[in-house]
Amino acid sequence: DVVIGITASKTEDKDVLKKFNISKSVDGGTASTVYTQDLSGSDGDNFEYDYSAKVEGLSGQTSTFTFTVTNRDGLVNQVALTLTVE
């Protein structure tokens, strides 16, 4: 089990954050959404989230988590993290 924390902040006063999404891909396969949240209020200015993930599989198997934040104008920022089972 792992906990992955993310912090996102708007870069301009009017470009508030609107959506947060986490997707997961195993061994380079097609990614699927594992969590999504619409953002409003204070979360639109600054958003923090801790995601608890269970990484299972055979030795050498990889799981890639992609964290996506979308702002009011539809601009997207993504960060990906790959974990490998030992």
Side-chain angles (χ1 to χ4, degrees):
D1 292 346
V2 296
V3 177
I4 305 165
I6 185 166
T7 302
S9 300
K10 67 181 182 179
T11 57
E12 296 178 13
D13 286 342
K14 295 180 182 179
D15 286 337
V16 295
L17 308 176
K18 297 305 264 180
K19 185 175 271 303
F20 173 67
N21 180 278
I22 303 172
S23 61
K24 178 182 176 184
S25 171
V26 177
D27 284 339
T30 302
S32 61
T33 295
V34 294
Y35 181 81
T36 190
Q37 180 178 338
D38 290 327
L39 306 178
S40 62
S42 62
D43 284 342
D45 295 331
N46 297 294
F47 178 70
E48 294 182 7
Y49 185 76
D50 289 332
Y51 176 68
S52 297
K54 183 178 256 321
V55 179
E56 302 172 330
L58 302 173
S59 180
Q61 185 174 25
T62 62
S63 294
T64 300
F65 295 89
T66 302
F67 303 87
T68 305
V69 178
T70 307
N71 77 0
R72 179 191 71 149
D73 292 335
L75 298 175
V76 173
N77 196 354
Q78 291 183 324
V79 174
L81 170 71
T82 300
L83 302 175
T84 304
V85 177
E86 289 192 359

